[in-house]
C-alpha cells in the first residue's frame, strides 16, 4: 500500500514545541516532505529529508526519520501563532517521476 | 519571481455543467501537476505533464476530466459534466526538474475552489 497517515489535530500553546507525526508504508520512498497550508492558500514546502538521513534541522524545524518503523516527525520549536496551519506529510519514489503521495494533514492550532 | 497563477479562484456550478480551470506555471518549469484536494484530505495527483506530454494520468477520471498543456506552458483542466463529488480545491503545481536525480521541489498555486450544487 501507499498510505501516508497523520494525526488530524494538534493544539499547542505559544512558545511550546509542536511535534507532528506521520507514518508511511512504502519502503522505496526517496524523499519525505513536510508542507504547510494556510487558509485559502496553496501548499508551501517547509522542509524535506532524503531517505538515507536520520535527522535534518532547519532553524526552528527538526525532521526525524525512522526508516525501520517508517515514521517521520516534524518538530517546531518555540511555536508561534503564525504556525497555525495544516501540515501535510508527503512521500515520493524514484519510480514515480516526482509524484507526491500526501497524508490527510494535521491541523495545528496555536493558542496564546 | 512570480509564483504559480491559477484562475478562477472560486467557481460554483450545478451538476452536469462544465467547468474549466487555468494554470500558468513558474517560468521555465518543465513539469506541471494538477491535484484534487477534497475537504479534509490531502491533495491527490490527477495528471502530470512534462513539457506538453503526459507523464502520469492514472488517477484522472477520463470519462469526465480532461487536461491539456499546449506549447508546454499554460494548462487547462476541464470537467464535463460535473458531479457533486467533484466539489474540491483544484491545485496546480510546477517544478523545474523531475525524476530520481533531483528534489524536483513543487511550487503550488493558490488553487481553485469548485462547488458543485
Amino acid at each position: 500500500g501507499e498510505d501516508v497517515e497523520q494525526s488530524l489535530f494538534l493544539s499547542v500553546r505559544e512558545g511550546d514545541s509542536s511535534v507532528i507525526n506521520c507514518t508511511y508504508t512504502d519502503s522505496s520512498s526517496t524523499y519525505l516532505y513536510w508542507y504547510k497550508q494556510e487558509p485559502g492558500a496553496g501548499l508551501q514546502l517547509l522542509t524535506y529529508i532524503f531517505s538515507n538521513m536520520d535527522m535534518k534541522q532547519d532553524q526552528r524545524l527538526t525532521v526525524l526519520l525512522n526508516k525501520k518503523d517508517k515514521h517521520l516527525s516534524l518538530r517546531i520549536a518555540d511555536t508561534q501563532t503564525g504556525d497555525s496551519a495544516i501540515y501535510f506529510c508527503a512521500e515520493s519514489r524514484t519510480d514515480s517521476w516526482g509524484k507526491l503521495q500526501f497524508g490527510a494533514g494535521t491541523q495545528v492550532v496555536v493558542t496564546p | 519571481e512570480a509564483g504559480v497563477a491559477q484562475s478562477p479562484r472560486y467557481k460554483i456550478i450545478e451538476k452536469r455543467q462544465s467547468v474549466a480551470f487555468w494554470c500558468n506555471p513558474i517560468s521555465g518549469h518543465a513539469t506541471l501537476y494538477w491535484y484534487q484536494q477534497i475537504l479534509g484530505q490531502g491533495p491527490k495527483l490527477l495528471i502530470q505533464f512534462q513539457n506538453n506530454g503526459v507523464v502520469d494520468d492514472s488517477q484522472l477520471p477520463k470519462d469526465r476530466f480532461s487536461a491539456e498543456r499546449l506549447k508546454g506552458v499554460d494548462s487547462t483542466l476541464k470537467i464535463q459534466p460535473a458531479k457533486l463529488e467533484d466539489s474540491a480545491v483544484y491545485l496546480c503545481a510546477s517544478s523545474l526538474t523531475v525524476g530520481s536525480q533531483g528534489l524536483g521541489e513543487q511550487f503550488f498555486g493558490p488553487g481553485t475552489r469548485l462547488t458543485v450544487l
Side-chain angles (χ1 to χ4, degrees), chain B residues 41-90:
Chain B
Q41 299 181 18
K44 181 186 81 171
L45 181 70
L46 291 175
I47 189 166
Q48 177 180 345
F49 292 94
Q50 174 78 359
N51 296 309
N52 60 352
V54 175
V55 173
D56 183 347
D57 64 355
S58 57
Q59 302 212 72
L60 187 74
K62 298 179 186 65
D63 58 334
R64 298 183 301 106
F65 286 65
S66 64
E68 59 182 11
R69 192 183 182 198
L70 299 175
K71 302 180 182 178
V73 182
D74 293 4
S75 177
T76 55
L77 176 69
K78 296 179 182 178
I79 307 175
Q80 181 180 11
K83 292 185 176 181
L84 297 177
E85 59 260 36
D86 298 331
S87 293
V89 175
Y90 291 85

Side-chain angles (χ1 to χ4, degrees), chain B:
Chain B
E1 172 183 83
V4 176
Q6 291 188 245
S7 67
R9 291 295 311 277
Y10 305 91
K11 190 73 178 179
I12 301 174
I13 61 173
E14 295 187 347
K15 60 183 179 183
R16 292 188 288 275
Q17 286 188 322
S18 302
V19 65
F21 313 127
W22 173 82
C23 173
N24 180 233
I26 293 173
S27 178
H29 281 196
T31 309
L32 185 147
Y33 311 79
W34 282 104
Y35 289 87
Q36 179 192 56
Q37 186 179 16
I38 293 172
L39 186 65
Q41 299 181 18
K44 181 186 81 171
L45 181 70
L46 291 175
I47 189 166
Q48 177 180 345
F49 292 94
Q50 174 78 359
N51 296 309
N52 60 352
V54 175
V55 173
D56 183 347
D57 64 355
S58 57
Q59 302 212 72
L60 187 74
K62 298 179 186 65
D63 58 334
R64 298 183 301 106
F65 286 65
S66 64
E68 59 182 11
R69 192 183 182 198
L70 299 175
K71 302 180 182 178
V73 182
D74 293 4
S75 177
T76 55
L77 176 69
K78 296 179 182 178
I79 307 175
Q80 181 180 11
K83 292 185 176 181
L84 297 177
E85 59 260 36
D86 298 331
S87 293
V89 175
Y90 291 85
L91 295 165
C92 179
S94 68
S95 67
L96 191 58
T97 61
V98 72
S100 61
Q101 298 308 311
L103 173 63
E105 178 182 350
Q106 296 183 27
F107 294 84
F108 284 80
T112 296
R113 182 177 297 275
L114 173 68
T115 302
V116 182
L117 303 176

Side-chain angles (χ1 to χ4, degrees), chain A residues 72-86:
Chain A
L72 182 74
S73 67
L74 174 69
R75 178 177 180 269
I76 306 173
D78 187 25
T79 310
Q80 303 297 307
T81 55
D83 295 324
S84 292
I86 301 176

